Amino acid sequence: MNKRIGVIASDIELKNSITELFLDDVEEGNIIIDMLDPDNMESQGKILENKGAKIVVARSGGYKHISGTVNIPIVRLKITTIDVLQAIKRARKHMKEIVLVIWDEVYFNYDEWKDIINAEIILEKFKEKDEIKERVEKYRDKKDDVIIVGSGIACAFARAYGMDNVFINASKESIYETIKYAKELVDNLEDEKFKTEVLKTILDGVHDAVIAVDNEQRVILYNERAQELLGKDAEDVMHRELLKVLPSLDFMIDILENRVDKHGEIKYLESLTITTNTSILKVDGNTHGVLCSFQDITKLQKLEKKIRYELNKKGLYAKYKFEDLVANDPIMKGTIEKAKKVGASECTVIIYGESGTGKEMIAQGMHNISQRKDSPFVAINCAAISENLLESELFGYEEGAFTGARKGGKPGLFELAHGGTILLDEINSISLNLQAKLLRVLEEKEIMRIGSDYVIPLDVRVIAAANEELKRKVDDGSFRRDLFYRLSILQVNIPPLRKRKKDVMPLFTYYLKQLAGNDVDALIDKDIEEKLINYNWPGNVRELRNVAQGYLLLNEINLDEGEIIRHSNLEEKNLKGTLDLKEINRFIEDKIIDMLLRQGLTKTEIANMLGISRTALWKKINK
């Protein structure tokens, strides 16, 4: 680290004294000594600065003439009273009248010392360098009777006129203390410079724009981010009145006048919408100005999107595309073609289909064919979570919102899906209370976390899925009519597997290869194929996958025999034309109960869905 000190020595004795006292520093180049040049005094400080000096040390004359010419501090090697007295003592040996020629800034009270000096002294003071020659020249005619005592320049003129002279040397104590002070000052300057650079780096590196003004409303801090956002360079703003250079930040002056901090405020500038934090600058309880940090809300939204993208990479993504779906049956091909058209739009859509038909795969295909494909895809099964938990999962919560709430709060799935798509599977199962809140999200495009007092704007496409017609639930009053029409802008109906028989064997073969890693014989026995095609598949594609897995492990087809018998009885009665309506209703009821049990619902939940008591449900199951 450069801590070089430059010295302008007014005479060779001063140079020799400094060299003697600080030999190592002089030899190592930490102290540079230049001799005073009376004809070039004004530029000598700049010369030393160009040589790398961080501070310049000069005696009174040199100090005065280089002030304002350099960008580094100047330390004065003062002429002390002791220095003057020592010079007078040397001059008295000449037995001549003493003329003391000194700068008016040098303190020397002759009246206090004349009795001790015991000599007559003529005191000649000057303010400017040009006056020195005149002060010395006036005694030229008396050169044999006087002796000049003064600075290097005064003594130089005296020598030119053939006059005796005594230079006022600086004592070694003064030299030592001055150079020592200069060293400490260099150390402090380096420390302050380091701290300033660190602070500047930090301020320029933060995402916030930072501006501060003093009590006179002049800008004292203006970081690079502020320059970028406000479009004005620091040189056009620093040390100028805020309202003259940045009038749109007048709210800072209001804070300064009212002495009240304001945080989290939204301000509208000419081309920016910013969120601000403004605080009074206080030192030892005294106000010294105001500081404001702010961010461009648009940038915040981009940052938020980046964070959500990182979350997306960790699992909030749609892995299935339409080309991943197995569809040989014409009815399924038509469904996928319609889903592609629906998916490419931005409209809310509802997907109908029995459990296990692949509603989420279709939803993922819609997401991946849309403009949102690079943004998050979030799916939640509304029937698998209790109402209270579902609300917190969907909308998030603030810290302390309820007992057990995570420290720092938690973003909801709607927030995580910002910019992308959210799939609300089994939406037919949510309560009327939650339906009202969901409707508000769809209409206002904003959410409010549980326990929060502010709203969060959203850009989310909603895809809903249901395993029963919502219109029926609207008719019986268990689903809001306004939410139904809000969700049903577009509809996609996925056929059950029993209605797309041509897909059974391609799907079965697909799952065999997927589960066995393609290392499987694709030839299936005709009897097995016939069983698979004729089976009714109440669990749809999900059940087919389970059967394929069992076939790989046991080399046999394990189908629901009860389902086969019921299906055969229905077909037989259908052929005879003697269908019993009660038996059909009982068959459908049994099938629904079985399907719901397969989904993992509790008996209490199933009873509530069917509108019967838990006891009645037990009787039906036992039958």
Side-chain angles (χ1 to χ4, degrees):
M1 189 178 292
N2 180 14
K3 297 183 179 181
R4 194 168 295 159
I5 297 171
V7 180
I8 299 175
S10 50
D11 68 294
I12 192 63
E13 290 185 19
L14 177 57
K15 180 178 181 179
N16 291 339
S17 295
I18 294 173
T19 302
E20 178 185 345
L21 291 169
F22 300 95
L23 180 60
D24 291 343
D25 288 313
V26 173
E27 290 180 346
E28 292 172 6
N30 293 327
I31 296 179
I32 308 170
I33 305 175
D34 282 356
M35 295 301 298
L36 178 69
D37 181 357
D39 298 325
N40 197 30
M41 290 174 65
E42 288 79 2
S43 62
Q44 283 195 275
K46 198 66 180 177
I47 292 171
L48 285 170
E49 184 180 5
N50 293 336
K51 289 181 179 180
K54 299 300 180 184
I55 282 181
V56 173
V57 177
R59 296 204 76 184
S60 298
Y63 174 89
K64 187 169 184 177
H65 282 86
I66 66 174
S67 294
T69 66
V70 293
N71 297 315
I72 55 178
I74 308 168
V75 175
R76 176 185 288 182
L77 178 56
K78 295 180 180 179
I79 296 176
T80 67
T81 298
I82 299 300
D83 296 336
V84 175
L85 292 176
Q86 287 179 346
I88 292 173
K89 181 180 178 181
R90 294 197 303 273
R92 283 178 58 192
K93 296 177 181 178
H94 290 263
M95 305 300 291
K96 293 184 177 181
E97 189 173 12
I98 297 172
V99 178
L100 181 59
V101 182
I102 56 176
W103 294 88
D104 64 347
E105 295 178 0
V106 176
Y107 178 78
F108 179 71
N109 192 330
Y110 173 62
D111 292 335
E112 291 180 357
W113 293 97
K114 62 182 178 181
D115 294 335
I116 298 174
I117 294 172
N118 195 22
E120 290 294 326
I121 294 177
I122 302 173
L123 187 60
E124 292 283 355
K125 288 198 170 189
F126 58 88
K127 292 184 178 180
E128 301 294 337
K129 182 183 73 170
D130 297 339
E131 300 174 23
I132 301 175
K133 181 179 180 180
E134 177 188 342
R135 298 289 188 272
V136 176
E137 193 174 23
K138 66 191 290 189
Y139 298 97
R140 188 174 182 179
D141 295 338
K142 300 171 62 178
K143 65 179 182 177
D144 296 330
D145 301 319
V146 299
I147 182 170
I148 301 296
V149 176
S151 64
I153 299 176
C155 291
F157 283 126
R159 286 192 295 273
Y161 298 144
M163 303 168 68
D164 291 332
N165 59 89
V166 173
F167 175 67
I168 302 176
N169 287 320
S171 66
K172 288 186 177 181
E173 291 81 2
S174 297
I175 296 171
Y176 181 82
E177 291 299 325
T178 301
I179 298 298
K180 181 181 176 182
Y181 171 73
K183 282 187 166 188
E184 292 173 352
L185 186 56
V186 168
D187 288 340
N188 291 335
L189 287 173
E190 288 298 324
D191 288 343
E192 289 302 316
K193 182 179 179 181
F194 174 75
K195 292 176 182 177
T196 300
E197 286 300 320
V198 168
L199 179 60
K200 183 178 183 299
T201 302
I202 292 173
L203 288 174
D204 288 339
V206 297
H207 290 290
D208 287 26
V210 182
I211 300 178
V213 298
D214 59 18
N215 284 333
E216 283 69 46
Q217 303 180 13
R218 296 184 182 277
V219 180
I220 57 175
L221 180 62
Y222 186 69
N223 72 344
E224 288 184 1
R225 190 76 184 108
Q227 296 180 60
E228 293 174 12
L229 289 181
L230 299 176
K232 287 195 175 184
D233 294 335
E235 60 186 19
D236 299 325
V237 173
M238 287 296 291
H239 310 301
R240 300 183 63 184
E241 288 186 35
L242 180 69
L243 296 182
K244 290 183 178 179
V245 292
L246 296 168
S248 59
L249 301 184
D250 55 352
F251 61 88
M252 289 181 63
I253 306 305
D254 295 337
I255 300 295
L256 183 62
E257 293 174 349
N258 297 328
R259 302 290 199 269
V260 177
D261 297 348
K262 293 289 181 68
H263 299 286
E265 290 192 308
I266 295 178
K267 301 291 183 180
Y268 301 94
L269 308 186
E270 294 178 0
S271 58
L272 291 175
T273 302
I274 61 175
T275 176
T276 68
N277 292 298
T278 315
S279 305
I280 296 296
L281 288 174
K282 287 188 176 183
V283 179
D284 295 331
N286 298 317
T287 299
H288 289 268
V290 63
L291 180 141
C292 177
S293 62
F294 60 87
Q295 289 188 355
D296 180 1
I297 288 180
T298 304
K299 299 293 183 183
L300 285 175
Q301 291 172 337
K302 289 183 178 179
L303 179 61
E304 180 186 24
K305 185 175 182 180
K306 182 179 178 181
I307 292 171
R308 282 172 170 151
Y309 175 73
E310 292 301 318
L311 289 171
N312 180 31
K313 292 195 299 185
K314 295 178 181 179
L316 302 180
Y317 68 99
K319 63 180 180 179
Y320 291 110
K321 299 179 181 178
F322 283 119
E323 50 264 35
D324 298 324
L325 304 181
V326 177
N328 288 14
D329 196 291
I331 189 173
M332 191 60 186
K333 285 183 177 180
T335 299
I336 290 177
E337 288 305 312
K338 180 178 180 181
K340 286 180 179 179
K341 295 177 182 178
V342 171
S345 73
E346 282 290 301
C347 294
T348 303
V349 59
I350 185 162
I351 302 172
Y352 287 111
E354 294 178 6
S355 177
T357 52
K359 297 187 289 295
E360 182 170 346
M361 293 180 70
I362 293 291
Q364 290 189 22
M366 289 180 177
H367 173 78
N368 280 326
I369 206 171
S370 72
Q371 296 295 321
R372 299 172 181 266
K373 61 184 178 181
D374 295 324
S375 297
F377 175 87
V378 178
I380 183 170
N381 189 324
C382 301
I385 306 175
S386 65
E387 180 180 351
N388 291 338
L389 183 57
L390 180 59
E391 182 177 358
S392 66
E393 286 295 312
L394 287 175
F395 306 130
Y397 55 82
E398 296 293 340
E399 180 177 345
F402 50 81
T403 302
R406 181 190 299 177
K407 185 177 182 181
K410 179 184 176 183
L413 295 180
F414 270 105
E415 284 184 70
L416 295 180
H418 180 70
T421 304
I422 187 168
L423 168 64
L424 303 176
D425 199 4
E426 309 293 358
I427 196 170
N428 47 296
S429 66
I430 66 174
S431 67
L432 289 170
N433 175 54
L434 203 52
Q435 289 176 34
K437 295 180 179 180
L438 179 58
L439 178 64
R440 177 176 176 79
V441 172
L442 293 174
E443 291 182 341
E444 303 298 331
K445 297 187 183 301
E446 61 187 24
I447 59 132
M448 182 181 292
R449 289 185 182 182
I450 298 173
S452 175
D453 57 359
Y454 63 91
V455 296
I456 301 172
L458 289 176
D459 173 24
V460 177
R461 183 190 187 183
V462 174
I463 297 178
N467 56 15
E468 62 177 318
E469 289 288 341
L470 293 183
K471 186 66 169 64
R472 295 177 185 173
K473 293 184 70 66
V474 171
D475 293 340
D476 65 25
S478 61
F479 202 88
R480 292 179 63 104
R481 187 176 298 275
D482 46 8
L483 178 58
F484 167 74
Y485 287 114
R486 188 67 180 78
L487 291 171
S488 301
I489 297 174
L490 295 173
Q491 294 184 24
V492 173
N493 292 277
I494 305 177
L497 188 55
R498 62 182 175 275
K499 291 187 178 180
R500 40 184 290 217
K501 294 290 187 177
K502 291 183 179 180
D503 285 338
V504 172
M505 291 313 299
L507 280 168
F508 187 73
T509 303
Y510 169 81
Y511 284 128
L512 288 179
K513 291 182 177 180
Q514 183 188 59
L515 294 167
N518 282 331
D519 186 20
V520 67
D521 187 359
L523 295 176
I524 307 297
D525 186 272
K526 287 293 183 181
D527 291 339
I528 292 176
E529 183 175 335
E530 186 176 345
K531 282 184 179 181
L532 294 174
I533 292 175
N534 291 332
Y535 184 60
N536 207 40
W537 298 111
N540 290 292
V541 179
R542 184 182 295 122
E543 184 182 6
L544 177 62
R545 186 181 188 279
N546 293 339
V547 170
Q549 190 167 19
Y551 180 74
L552 281 174
L553 294 173
L554 305 173
N555 197 29
E556 63 181 31
I557 298 298
N558 185 17
L559 301 177
D560 186 345
E561 295 298 331
E563 179 63 28
I564 294 174
I565 293 171
R566 284 192 294 270
H567 184 61
S568 298
N569 289 338
L570 276 176
E571 285 186 343
E572 184 179 345
K573 289 184 178 182
N574 204 9
L575 289 172
K576 292 179 179 179
T578 57
L579 286 175
D580 186 335
L581 187 58
K582 289 184 179 180
E583 188 174 342
I584 292 174
N585 289 335
R586 190 183 308 115
F587 169 74
I588 294 173
E589 188 177 70
D590 291 345
K591 187 175 179 181
I592 291 173
I593 293 172
D594 183 62
M595 178 186 68
L596 295 175
L597 286 171
R598 285 171 180 266
Q599 290 180 5
L601 270 67
T602 66
K603 294 179 177 60
T604 301
E605 290 173 330
I606 295 173
N608 291 336
M609 292 179 69
L610 296 177
I612 61 178
S613 68
R614 183 181 172 87
T615 302
L617 177 64
W618 270 108
K619 290 180 179 179
K620 292 178 182 293
I621 293 174
N622 291 332
K623 280 184 180 181

